[in-house]
Structures are given as C-alpha cells and as structure tokens.
Amino acid sequence: MAGQAKFPRHAILCGTALLALSAVFPCTTQAQTARSTAKATNAAGKPKLVVLLVVDQMRADYVDKFQAQWSGGLKRLVQEGAWFRDAAYPYAATETCVGHATVSTGAFPATHGMVANAWWDRKEQKLVTCTADPDPNAKNVGYGGATPKGADTAWRMAVPSFAEELKFQTSGATRIVTFSLKARAAITMAGHKADAATWFDGGAWVTSSPYGVQPFVEEQAMSHPAKADFGKTWSLSFPESAYWYGEKAVGAVPPDGWDLTFPHPLRGKTGVGEPDSAFYEQWASSPYADTALTELAEKAVDALKLGNSNGTDFLAISYSSVDYVGHAFGPRSREIQDILVRLDKDLGELFAQLDKKIGRGSYVVALTSDHGVVPIPEDMQTTGADAGVLHLPDVQERIEKALESFHYAKPAVARINGSDIYFAPGVYEKLKGDANAMSAVLDAIRTVPGVEAVYRAEELRDRPATQSPSLRAFASSYFSGRSGDLFILPKPYWLLDGTPIGKQRSYGTGHGVPYNYDQHVPVLLMGFGIQPGEYFQAITPADIAPTFAALCGITLASRDGHVLAEALKKTAEARTSYQPARPKSTPAPAPNAKP
Ligand SMILES: [Zn+2]
C-alpha cells in the first residue's frame, strides 16, 4: 500500500491525545509572577518568539573543533546557551527531509512518515520527493515574477509540526515563518499551513499554495539578492595558518567553475556574462546564501513585527549552504571551516537584531542540524582506515544475476534509493515465500564490496526490541508503504553511491546511514527559560519540539521526543532573569596546529 493512501491528506489530528505536561512544567500558572517582573515575557509568561535554526549537514564535532574562531552567534550559543554535546538521531535515514521533519514534529520518521528526501512510490512506480504534491489544486508560487514548476507541500508529513500545534492551541495568534534554500526544509519546519514558507529554486524565491504570500518577501525578491552577488568572491576569512586542513581537500568535487583552491569566484561556468545555473550552484555553496537567508529573516521580523503580537511567533531558518559545501569539499576542508566562520557572523547579527527588536532573553533559540556527513572516502583512505565507495548499481546487477536461475522476470529490482531496495511489483512477496531465492539475493548483496549487513522489511516493522543498534536504527525510520523491501547497511566510512558504473562521481561525499558521523549533531538552546550550561546526557533532536512546547505552555501529542527538563529554568522568576551562567570570554586565537 502506498503511504499516501494510509494517511489521507489533511487528516491531521491537532491537539488530540495530549500528555498532561503542564503538571510537570506549569508555564501558564506562573504567568502572574512573570508578567510583573519583566519586559522579557509577554502577558502569558511565554517566549515572544521561538527561533529554530537548522544548519544543514553540521556535524557535532565542528563545534569542538572550530569554536575558538567564532565570536558571533555560534559563539554566543555555546557560551550563553545550553549545549547538548551528545545529541544524535537514533535512526538510519539521516537525510535533510527526515531530519527537518524530526526536529519540527518531535517524532521519528517511523511516526512522521518523511523517510527520505525521495522514495519509490510503489503505486505510481516512480520516485517521488518528500514534498511533491499530486493534488491538482496545489501549486508552487514564485516571487519576483518567477513561474516555478510543480507543487511542494507538507501533505506527506503524517503529524503536525510544533509550529502548527502552537498556532492551533493558541487560537491562531502565532505567526509561522520559515526560510531555506530547500523546499523540503522550509516546508517541514513550517508544517501543513503557514504565514510564509519560502525557499530558493533555480534563481528565484518560491512558496506554494498552502502558504501565505508576503509583500516583504516580494520586495526582497525584486532586489534579487542572489543575482546581486554575481561577481563577488569567497575568500578565506583568516590567514592560511588558521586552517586545519590543506589547501586542496582530498577527493573533493567542487561546483562547476570553481577549482580546489581559494578564492572561489561567483561568476558562473565561464567567469563572464550573466548569472547561469553554475553561478546559482556556486552562490548556494557560498556564505553569501546564508547571509541572504539571514536578511530575509530580519526582514520578516520587521515587516510582520514578529515577537510583538499577543501570541508566540515562530521563525525558522534552515541554512543549506554548509550541506552543499560539505558534499563538494567534505567535512575535512577549509571551505567547511570558513563557511562556519561566516555563518557565526550572520547569526551574531541576527541575534543582535532580535535583542533590539524583541528583547534579550524574551525569545528562545534552538540550533541543530538535520544530519552529519561522512569524510570523503579517498580522504579517509589516506588515514589508513577501511573506507571506500559502495556502488549501488553493482548491488542491482548482482541481485538480477542471482535471480536468473530462479526464473524471475527482469528487472526484478525497481529501484535502489540510498539504503532502500525496492523490488518490482509482486517480486518481494514472491521472494518471501521462496527461501532459496531470498538467500541467493541476500548472499549476492553481501558480496558487494563495502556491505556490512542487509535487513528485510519484516525485521523492522513495529520497531522490534533488539540488541542490534543498526537494526533499531533502521526500524526507527521504517514507514510501511514508503520504505524499501530490503535495506543495505554499509561498512563504516563506505559511501553509498548511485553513480552508474563507469561514470565519475559528481560530488565528494554524502550521508544517510546510521553511523555516528551522520547521526551526531549539535543541539544548542538559548534565551527564554533556558538554563545555560554543558549537558552530557544522550538526547535526540526530536527533543527540541517538546521542549519548545513546554516553554510555550502547550502540549504535543505523544511522540518520540522528550522535554529537555534539565535545561529549563525552574521558576518563572528565574526564567525572566537573563544572565549567562558562564562568563563571556574573549575570542580565543585561531588554532595554527594542523592535525
Ligand atoms: Zn545533504
């Protein structure tokens, strides 16, 4: 059965089956104390604005490695916020759509249904993206005269977002505004409806029919913030000695028109003339795109007076560029180190604006990531580690060959998408009753270089109790109808790659498996109601939404995440007094050691 049949569109249950969280964390009952003491709270003793920041593909170790060079917003989150140092996604499908939906809903993919960026639709027999909406009434809407194709909505997301719940449970006072370069991030963070959900597509800013069209976005789109960066150059922020890695990242595949060394010019493929598609790829892979998103967010705060209404507003930004840079240059690159230095500046600026317009301590921020990334295999090999490329077309070829003697129609495999193997209609049902053919298939997959294990869908259903962490991880992202029939677990540091045999890989590295390098991400909370400090307990990014909910005095339907109670100030009075627990230190000098 196709997943969309199981979850009819718009059959979203808001605010049902709620947990009595208010007994644990009585936000609203303490309102009177809060109201009298501070500018820091609105009438209900809640944050005026909830800010969700997702840095796409930001590994947790980046904070440890690079924070000495930060002096802006990232530094402030580390110094003045609650820093959860052991946060990781517990599931296998560590991809963008999945991670954003998890952060947004407080649920794992087995619950929210966004199991990948795209999956094989068995009914339609085609690959569908997580946001593709076949409803003829749904359509994408372009700002600045753009005419985007298709329709992207959250209809496949099976539970409401935190922001939707907030709006629903506060009689609609909440405004929901999200930005990203990617539809699958802007949409999942917003939910099924929002005041604005804006993303970037082929040089234009875009939204879609369930979301509001905002004049301030139109105004910004008319000033063409991307195009205006044509001709700029991304240069290193510090002297070369400040960078951890060599001039050229090993195994990197930079965007068209760039080579392996700084500076990187934003001049398209040929370096002359008008912005072309190569230019937009360069721009999206540069710090300039982060700055454009930050400016859009600042415009939203001004135009909609976010944080100055009767309710709690919601603003989310997903910074996509670290992901593009990471795919091209890998995590062990000057490019990653430098783009974080630039993002730190942008976030410092954003927080300064929010302090000014809303009040320091009267908004709450969470920063996390949707997934990490594996080092480029060729780079990892230089360390002597067992690393390599697991060729998915090779997997498919060997399955077809293994089934030849069992007289299965060819092709038996409909699609391999990341870890997920989808068989042609009827084939997997037949295999389940054909033990010899099934073992031949499983054995054939295990012979492919880089394969650690293969799991069957039957092993994952209903989230079984198991001692195997990888089986548990695949089960946490298993959603019946959408996930594959078989699942490949690569060996650690082996990259799953779908490039046709004989062709050159068009990117450096990727993510999407249940290993620490893909699962472990930062979680930092700061501002209203947050007790600063370093926290070492194991948590997941699904804990962010329930924690926001507790701060806002609403409750989420029982999900997978938990309230991070240890990082919440215990009384309303404490919540309204804003003081960093640790002294603000001066920025440490840049490291000159190169491990
Ligand atoms: Zn990615």
Side-chain angles (χ1 to χ4, degrees):
M1 181 182 65
Q4 52 268 48
K6 189 175 176 188
F7 286 87
R9 66 186 299 116
H10 309 315
I12 302 303
L13 301 172
C14 281
T16 56
L18 298 174
L19 290 174
L21 281 176
S22 53
V24 181
F25 192 79
C27 286
T28 46
T29 55
Q30 294 168 347
Q32 285 73 15
T33 336
R35 191 184 303 145
S36 59
T37 50
K39 178 198 175 193
T41 54
N42 66 13
K46 297 169 185 175
K48 293 177 168 185
L49 178 68
V50 170
V51 182
L52 173 62
L53 304 170
V54 182
V55 183
D56 201 313
Q57 203 194 98
M58 185 172 180
R59 291 163 47 126
D61 61 322
Y62 293 168
V63 182
D64 300 300
K65 280 153 70 175
F66 304 136
Q67 61 157 306
Q69 291 183 323
W70 300 340
S71 56
L74 289 172
K75 188 65 165 187
R76 191 167 149 189
L77 282 160
V78 171
Q79 287 196 327
E80 300 179 15
W83 178 17
F84 284 89
R85 305 189 60 160
D86 189 12
Y89 290 97
Y91 56 74
T94 42
E95 291 188 2
T96 294
C97 190
V98 191
H100 283 83
T102 299
V103 172
S104 164
T105 61
F108 297 145
T111 308
H112 63 60
M114 299 299 234
V115 294
N117 287 343
W119 57 82
W120 185 252
D121 186 318
R122 291 179 170 86
K123 202 166 135 215
E124 302 286 331
Q125 286 292 297
K126 65 173 189 185
L127 198 70
V128 295
T129 66
C130 67
T131 54
D133 191 336
D135 183 341
N137 296 317
K139 61 175 190 327
N140 287 346
V141 179
Y143 284 105
T147 50
K149 291 197 188 82
D152 292 281
T153 74
W155 80 282
R156 295 178 200 269
M157 195 161 85
V159 294
S161 66
F162 155 76
E164 283 176 278
E165 289 278 22
L166 182 62
K167 190 165 190 143
F168 184 78
Q169 294 181 38
T170 55
S171 306
T174 296
R175 273 87 52 80
I176 303 172
V177 180
T178 69
F179 300 102
S180 176
L181 297 189
K182 300 180 182 179
R184 56 185 174 271
I187 287 172
T188 46
M189 293 190 302
H192 299 77
K193 287 186 177 177
D195 298 270
T198 310
W199 59 93
F200 192 73
D201 186 13
W205 296 96
V206 171
T207 184
S208 71
S209 41
Y211 306 113
V213 173
Q214 296 292 342
F216 79 90
V217 183
E218 176 67 18
E219 204 177 289
Q220 193 75 352
M222 290 305 281
S223 75
H224 300 289
K227 235 180 186 170
D229 291 330
F230 187 80
K232 287 186 179 170
T233 298
W234 177 16
S235 305
L236 289 176
S237 306
F238 297 122
E240 293 204 19
S241 60
Y243 292 86
W244 282 51
Y245 303 109
E247 193 179 17
K248 296 180 182 179
V250 178
V253 182
D256 263 1
W258 282 6
D259 57 28
L260 290 170
T261 53
F262 274 99
H264 298 306
L266 278 69
R267 292 195 198 92
K269 200 176 170 75
T270 57
V272 288
E274 282 291 290
D276 54 5
S277 61
F279 162 73
Y280 287 113
E281 194 192 342
Q282 294 166 352
W283 182 79
S285 311
S286 81
Y288 295 104
D290 287 344
T291 304
L293 287 168
T294 307
E295 283 171 5
L296 267 167
E298 288 172 0
K299 289 269 183 312
V301 172
D302 284 342
L304 303 178
K305 301 207 170 0
L306 294 180
N308 285 294
S309 69
N310 291 327
T312 300
D313 291 319
F314 178 81
L315 171 67
I317 314 165
S318 172
Y319 289 102
S320 314
S321 300
V322 170
D323 183 64
Y324 296 133
V325 170
H327 280 296
F329 294 96
R332 292 157 47 87
S333 63
R334 290 184 176 183
E335 281 78 6
I336 281 293
Q337 189 174 348
D338 198 73
I339 198 169
L340 289 168
V341 168
R342 303 279 294 259
L343 179 63
D344 168 63
K345 285 197 171 59
D346 282 328
L347 292 179
E349 168 64 21
L350 177 68
F351 295 157
Q353 289 296 311
L354 295 176
D355 287 351
K356 205 167 111 195
K357 310 238 161 86
I358 298 164
R360 200 175 169 106
S362 48
Y363 59 93
V364 61
V365 185
L367 181 140
T368 189
S369 181
D370 51 348
H371 55 74
V373 70
V374 68
I376 295 177
E378 292 80 0
D379 186 21
M380 205 61 208
Q381 282 163 354
T382 66
T383 71
D386 176 24
V389 177
L390 195 168
H391 298 285
L392 296 173
D394 194 12
V395 174
Q396 177 150 6
E397 228 172 72
R398 294 195 199 201
I399 296 173
E400 301 293 350
K401 198 150 190 297
L403 285 174
E404 265 170 12
S405 55
F406 297 93
H407 309 293
Y408 278 64
K410 275 191 177 182
V413 174
R415 180 86 185 200
I416 302 181
N417 188 50
S419 284
D420 295 39
I421 302 173
Y422 296 85
F423 285 92
V427 171
Y428 193 65
E429 288 309 305
K430 196 171 154 192
L431 276 174
K432 281 196 282 185
D434 190 348
N436 291 338
M438 180 72 99
S439 337
V441 166
L442 298 176
D443 288 346
I445 297 169
R446 290 185 194 114
T447 63
V448 177
V451 172
E452 173 84 20
V454 193
Y455 299 112
R456 289 173 286 117
E458 312 85 87
E459 296 176 85
L460 310 182
R461 281 202 187 112
D462 305 322
R463 301 201 218 180
T466 164
Q467 294 299 311
S468 158
S470 48
L471 186 63
R472 225 172 27 226
F474 276 102
S476 294
S477 40
Y478 183 82
F479 192 84
S480 185
R482 293 183 184 176
S483 299
D485 299 313
L486 295 177
F487 301 84
I488 307 163
L489 174 69
K491 289 180 180 166
Y493 298 108
W494 281 71
L495 175 69
L496 292 172
D497 177 38
T499 307
I501 294 164
K503 284 209 164 168
Q504 202 63 26
R505 203 161 86 231
S506 62
Y507 63 98
T509 190
H511 49 84
V513 300
Y515 289 122
N516 200 42
Y517 47 73
D518 281 352
Q519 293 177 316
H520 193 189
V521 294
V523 168
L524 292 145
L525 300 163
M526 180 180 77
F528 181 92
I530 298 299
Q531 182 62 48
E534 286 183 32
Y535 298 85
F536 291 91
Q537 56 269 52
I539 67 149
T540 84
D543 298 337
I544 293 171
T547 305
F548 278 163
L551 285 169
C552 294
I554 66 157
T555 49
L556 298 181
S558 181
R559 304 246 178 96
D560 303 306
H562 305 281
V563 178
L564 296 168
E566 57 276 28
L568 298 181
K569 287 184 178 168
K570 296 300 175 269
T571 66
E573 199 165 354
R575 271 185 275 130
T576 59
S577 69
Y578 181 85
Q579 349 171 274
R582 280 166 282 153
K584 203 174 178 183
S585 64
T586 47
N592 41 29
K594 286 187 215 164

